[in-house]
Amino acid sequence: KVVMPKLAEIIRTSYDPMSTSQTVRLVGVLSAIVRDFPTLSWKSKHLRLCLSAITELIKDSLDHDVYIPMYTKALMEYPHSVHLTFFQRQFYAALKLFKNIVTWQGILSDGVLTEMAVDSLLNRYLLLSLRANNDPSDAVDKARVITDWMPDPWLKKSWPLTSKFGMFVKWLEATGSSGNLPRDALQEAARIAKKLGSDEVNEKLRMKL
């Protein structure tokens, strides 16, 4: 009763969701507490104070730390332009936050996590960046990284929230159908679609190989 409120206060004042090292350590600490103290569970009032603080901090980070700039294609054509460099830096910052958020899978509820990681980050920011990418092969490779970081339970066909990947799958279908992808990138797009539970898009893209 004494330790958990103090831990919740430390989380509120010190945890940075953009930090992977802090996220991994905090996940480990909370998992160890539940494992080593049988009287505590994830539904415990005091533990829920910690989880509530974590959720609010992640939401605040989504509101204030994520920004994807939109430039014209002409400004993004040159590999070493300041515009492309900034665009890529902002994408990878958002991608890092995505990875940190999904690290909480199994601790925070899937409903809360998908609202933050998929609805607020993937569909709102990361997909925006993928669509604006002048290099479709690079965009597909980034989509692969996003999908590879998704928790395994989210990629099971029986998972009730699979529909949340609809926008992601539609982008894969459109990119794969554009005729701008080399064979290996098209194969990768088809593989990602299948991994996300869309056999239909997988087959459509494979037919173009």
Side-chain angles (χ1 to χ4, degrees), residues 90-105:
Q90 293 304 111
F91 170 81
Y92 283 112
L95 183 62
K96 181 180 181 182
L97 180 58
F98 179 85
K99 181 181 181 182
N100 292 345
I101 293 173
V102 299
T103 300
W104 290 102
Q105 201 276 331

PDB file of all heavy atoms in Angstrom, residues 90-105:
ATOM      1  N   GLN A  90      11.352  12.171 -38.274  1.00  0.00           N
ATOM      2  CA  GLN A  90      10.048  12.200 -37.595  1.00  0.00           C
ATOM      3  C   GLN A  90       9.327  10.866 -37.719  1.00  0.00           C
ATOM      4  O   GLN A  90       8.648  10.424 -36.790  1.00  0.00           O
ATOM      5  CB  GLN A  90       9.184  13.329 -38.167  1.00  0.00           C
ATOM      6  CG  GLN A  90       9.705  14.723 -37.858  1.00  0.00           C
ATOM      7  CD  GLN A  90       9.875  14.941 -36.364  1.00  0.00           C
ATOM      8  OE1 GLN A  90      10.998  15.055 -35.866  1.00  0.00           O
ATOM      9  NE2 GLN A  90       8.780  15.007 -35.637  1.00  0.00           N
ATOM     10  N   PHE A  91       9.482  10.212 -38.878  1.00  0.00           N
ATOM     11  CA  PHE A  91       8.877   8.880 -39.020  1.00  0.00           C
ATOM     12  C   PHE A  91       9.470   7.907 -38.012  1.00  0.00           C
ATOM     13  O   PHE A  91       8.734   7.170 -37.338  1.00  0.00           O
ATOM     14  CB  PHE A  91       9.081   8.329 -40.437  1.00  0.00           C
ATOM     15  CG  PHE A  91       8.704   6.877 -40.559  1.00  0.00           C
ATOM     16  CD1 PHE A  91       7.381   6.498 -40.709  1.00  0.00           C
ATOM     17  CD2 PHE A  91       9.672   5.881 -40.482  1.00  0.00           C
ATOM     18  CE1 PHE A  91       7.028   5.148 -40.776  1.00  0.00           C
ATOM     19  CE2 PHE A  91       9.330   4.534 -40.564  1.00  0.00           C
ATOM     20  CZ  PHE A  91       7.999   4.178 -40.713  1.00  0.00           C
ATOM     21  N   TYR A  92      10.788   7.892 -37.903  1.00  0.00           N
ATOM     22  CA  TYR A  92      11.432   6.933 -37.007  1.00  0.00           C
ATOM     23  C   TYR A  92      11.147   7.236 -35.536  1.00  0.00           C
ATOM     24  O   TYR A  92      11.107   6.321 -34.708  1.00  0.00           O
ATOM     25  CB  TYR A  92      12.930   6.855 -37.284  1.00  0.00           C
ATOM     26  CG  TYR A  92      13.234   6.054 -38.529  1.00  0.00           C
ATOM     27  CD1 TYR A  92      13.746   6.666 -39.672  1.00  0.00           C
ATOM     28  CD2 TYR A  92      12.978   4.683 -38.573  1.00  0.00           C
ATOM     29  CE1 TYR A  92      14.003   5.926 -40.822  1.00  0.00           C
ATOM     30  CE2 TYR A  92      13.223   3.950 -39.714  1.00  0.00           C
ATOM     31  CZ  TYR A  92      13.738   4.566 -40.833  1.00  0.00           C
ATOM     32  OH  TYR A  92      13.978   3.827 -41.976  1.00  0.00           O
ATOM     33  N   ALA A  93      10.923   8.503 -35.209  1.00  0.00           N
ATOM     34  CA  ALA A  93      10.519   8.844 -33.843  1.00  0.00           C
ATOM     35  C   ALA A  93       9.134   8.265 -33.548  1.00  0.00           C
ATOM     36  O   ALA A  93       8.893   7.691 -32.472  1.00  0.00           O
ATOM     37  CB  ALA A  93      10.519  10.358 -33.651  1.00  0.00           C
ATOM     38  N   ALA A  94       8.219   8.405 -34.514  1.00  0.00           N
ATOM     39  CA  ALA A  94       6.874   7.847 -34.347  1.00  0.00           C
ATOM     40  C   ALA A  94       6.930   6.320 -34.300  1.00  0.00           C
ATOM     41  O   ALA A  94       6.201   5.680 -33.522  1.00  0.00           O
ATOM     42  CB  ALA A  94       5.972   8.309 -35.491  1.00  0.00           C
ATOM     43  N   LEU A  95       7.790   5.728 -35.126  1.00  0.00           N
ATOM     44  CA  LEU A  95       7.938   4.270 -35.140  1.00  0.00           C
ATOM     45  C   LEU A  95       8.479   3.765 -33.799  1.00  0.00           C
ATOM     46  O   LEU A  95       8.045   2.721 -33.294  1.00  0.00           O
ATOM     47  CB  LEU A  95       8.872   3.861 -36.271  1.00  0.00           C
ATOM     48  CG  LEU A  95       9.089   2.361 -36.488  1.00  0.00           C
ATOM     49  CD1 LEU A  95       7.779   1.674 -36.846  1.00  0.00           C
ATOM     50  CD2 LEU A  95      10.128   2.126 -37.584  1.00  0.00           C
ATOM     51  N   LYS A  96       9.409   4.505 -33.221  1.00  0.00           N
ATOM     52  CA  LYS A  96       9.959   4.146 -31.913  1.00  0.00           C
ATOM     53  C   LYS A  96       8.868   4.163 -30.856  1.00  0.00           C
ATOM     54  O   LYS A  96       8.782   3.262 -30.008  1.00  0.00           O
ATOM     55  CB  LYS A  96      11.080   5.109 -31.543  1.00  0.00           C
ATOM     56  CG  LYS A  96      11.743   4.803 -30.206  1.00  0.00           C
ATOM     57  CD  LYS A  96      12.848   5.804 -29.914  1.00  0.00           C
ATOM     58  CE  LYS A  96      13.537   5.503 -28.588  1.00  0.00           C
ATOM     59  NZ  LYS A  96      14.585   6.509 -28.275  1.00  0.00           N
ATOM     60  N   LEU A  97       8.012   5.180 -30.898  1.00  0.00           N
ATOM     61  CA  LEU A  97       6.910   5.247 -29.933  1.00  0.00           C
ATOM     62  C   LEU A  97       5.959   4.070 -30.137  1.00  0.00           C
ATOM     63  O   LEU A  97       5.461   3.490 -29.163  1.00  0.00           O
ATOM     64  CB  LEU A  97       6.158   6.570 -30.083  1.00  0.00           C
ATOM     65  CG  LEU A  97       4.973   6.768 -29.133  1.00  0.00           C
ATOM     66  CD1 LEU A  97       5.402   6.682 -27.674  1.00  0.00           C
ATOM     67  CD2 LEU A  97       4.283   8.114 -29.408  1.00  0.00           C
ATOM     68  N   PHE A  98       5.716   3.697 -31.393  1.00  0.00           N
ATOM     69  CA  PHE A  98       4.869   2.529 -31.671  1.00  0.00           C
ATOM     70  C   PHE A  98       5.441   1.284 -31.000  1.00  0.00           C
ATOM     71  O   PHE A  98       4.712   0.531 -30.335  1.00  0.00           O
ATOM     72  CB  PHE A  98       4.760   2.320 -33.184  1.00  0.00           C
ATOM     73  CG  PHE A  98       3.935   1.129 -33.584  1.00  0.00           C
ATOM     74  CD1 PHE A  98       2.563   1.230 -33.700  1.00  0.00           C
ATOM     75  CD2 PHE A  98       4.538  -0.099 -33.852  1.00  0.00           C
ATOM     76  CE1 PHE A  98       1.798   0.127 -34.073  1.00  0.00           C
ATOM     77  CE2 PHE A  98       3.787  -1.200 -34.222  1.00  0.00           C
ATOM     78  CZ  PHE A  98       2.412  -1.091 -34.328  1.00  0.00           C
ATOM     79  N   LYS A  99       6.744   1.089 -31.172  1.00  0.00           N
ATOM     80  CA  LYS A  99       7.389  -0.078 -30.557  1.00  0.00           C
ATOM     81  C   LYS A  99       7.255  -0.039 -29.042  1.00  0.00           C
ATOM     82  O   LYS A  99       6.981  -1.062 -28.395  1.00  0.00           O
ATOM     83  CB  LYS A  99       8.862  -0.119 -30.947  1.00  0.00           C
ATOM     84  CG  LYS A  99       9.612  -1.313 -30.360  1.00  0.00           C
ATOM     85  CD  LYS A  99      11.082  -1.287 -30.750  1.00  0.00           C
ATOM     86  CE  LYS A  99      11.815  -2.497 -30.182  1.00  0.00           C
ATOM     87  NZ  LYS A  99      13.264  -2.474 -30.516  1.00  0.00           N
ATOM     88  N   ASN A 100       7.438   1.130 -28.448  1.00  0.00           N
ATOM     89  CA  ASN A 100       7.345   1.253 -26.993  1.00  0.00           C
ATOM     90  C   ASN A 100       5.924   0.975 -26.500  1.00  0.00           C
ATOM     91  O   ASN A 100       5.734   0.347 -25.454  1.00  0.00           O
ATOM     92  CB  ASN A 100       7.791   2.652 -26.557  1.00  0.00           C
ATOM     93  CG  ASN A 100       9.274   2.885 -26.789  1.00  0.00           C
ATOM     94  OD1 ASN A 100      10.038   1.948 -27.021  1.00  0.00           O
ATOM     95  ND2 ASN A 100       9.687   4.137 -26.736  1.00  0.00           N
ATOM     96  N   ILE A 101       4.939   1.454 -27.253  1.00  0.00           N
ATOM     97  CA  ILE A 101       3.548   1.230 -26.840  1.00  0.00           C
ATOM     98  C   ILE A 101       3.217  -0.260 -26.850  1.00  0.00           C
ATOM     99  O   ILE A 101       2.640  -0.790 -25.883  1.00  0.00           O
ATOM    100  CB  ILE A 101       2.574   2.003 -27.748  1.00  0.00           C
ATOM    101  CG1 ILE A 101       2.733   3.515 -27.543  1.00  0.00           C
ATOM    102  CG2 ILE A 101       1.118   1.595 -27.445  1.00  0.00           C
ATOM    103  CD1 ILE A 101       1.922   4.358 -28.512  1.00  0.00           C
ATOM    104  N   VAL A 102       3.567  -0.962 -27.945  1.00  0.00           N
ATOM    105  CA  VAL A 102       3.193  -2.380 -28.029  1.00  0.00           C
ATOM    106  C   VAL A 102       3.994  -3.235 -27.046  1.00  0.00           C
ATOM    107  O   VAL A 102       3.622  -4.386 -26.784  1.00  0.00           O
ATOM    108  CB  VAL A 102       3.332  -2.929 -29.464  1.00  0.00           C
ATOM    109  CG1 VAL A 102       2.408  -2.179 -30.416  1.00  0.00           C
ATOM    110  CG2 VAL A 102       4.771  -2.871 -29.958  1.00  0.00           C
ATOM    111  N   THR A 103       5.081  -2.693 -26.491  1.00  0.00           N
ATOM    112  CA  THR A 103       5.824  -3.410 -25.448  1.00  0.00           C
ATOM    113  C   THR A 103       4.941  -3.651 -24.221  1.00  0.00           C
ATOM    114  O   THR A 103       5.179  -4.592 -23.463  1.00  0.00           O
ATOM    115  CB  THR A 103       7.084  -2.604 -25.043  1.00  0.00           C
ATOM    116  OG1 THR A 103       7.918  -2.439 -26.201  1.00  0.00           O
ATOM    117  CG2 THR A 103       7.892  -3.321 -23.972  1.00  0.00           C
ATOM    118  N   TRP A 104       3.899  -2.847 -24.069  1.00  0.00           N
ATOM    119  CA  TRP A 104       2.986  -2.985 -22.924  1.00  0.00           C
ATOM    120  C   TRP A 104       1.927  -4.062 -23.133  1.00  0.00           C
ATOM    121  O   TRP A 104       1.071  -4.259 -22.273  1.00  0.00           O
ATOM    122  CB  TRP A 104       2.317  -1.642 -22.631  1.00  0.00           C
ATOM    123  CG  TRP A 104       3.260  -0.624 -22.062  1.00  0.00           C
ATOM    124  CD1 TRP A 104       3.850   0.426 -22.703  1.00  0.00           C
ATOM    125  CD2 TRP A 104       3.762  -0.592 -20.722  1.00  0.00           C
ATOM    126  NE1 TRP A 104       4.675   1.107 -21.854  1.00  0.00           N
ATOM    127  CE2 TRP A 104       4.637   0.504 -20.629  1.00  0.00           C
ATOM    128  CE3 TRP A 104       3.553  -1.390 -19.592  1.00  0.00           C
ATOM    129  CZ2 TRP A 104       5.310   0.836 -19.461  1.00  0.00           C
ATOM    130  CZ3 TRP A 104       4.207  -1.060 -18.420  1.00  0.00           C
ATOM    131  CH2 TRP A 104       5.074   0.035 -18.360  1.00  0.00           C
ATOM    132  N   GLN A 105       1.972  -4.759 -24.262  1.00  0.00           N
ATOM    133  CA  GLN A 105       0.979  -5.799 -24.513  1.00  0.00           C
ATOM    134  C   GLN A 105       1.094  -6.888 -23.442  1.00  0.00           C
ATOM    135  O   GLN A 105       2.190  -7.343 -23.113  1.00  0.00           O
ATOM    136  CB  GLN A 105       1.196  -6.409 -25.903  1.00  0.00           C
ATOM    137  CG  GLN A 105      -0.014  -7.110 -26.477  1.00  0.00           C
ATOM    138  CD  GLN A 105      -0.166  -8.542 -26.015  1.00  0.00           C
ATOM    139  OE1 GLN A 105       0.829  -9.212 -25.720  1.00  0.00           O
ATOM    140  NE2 GLN A 105      -1.394  -9.031 -25.939  1.00  0.00           N
TER     141      GLN A 105
END
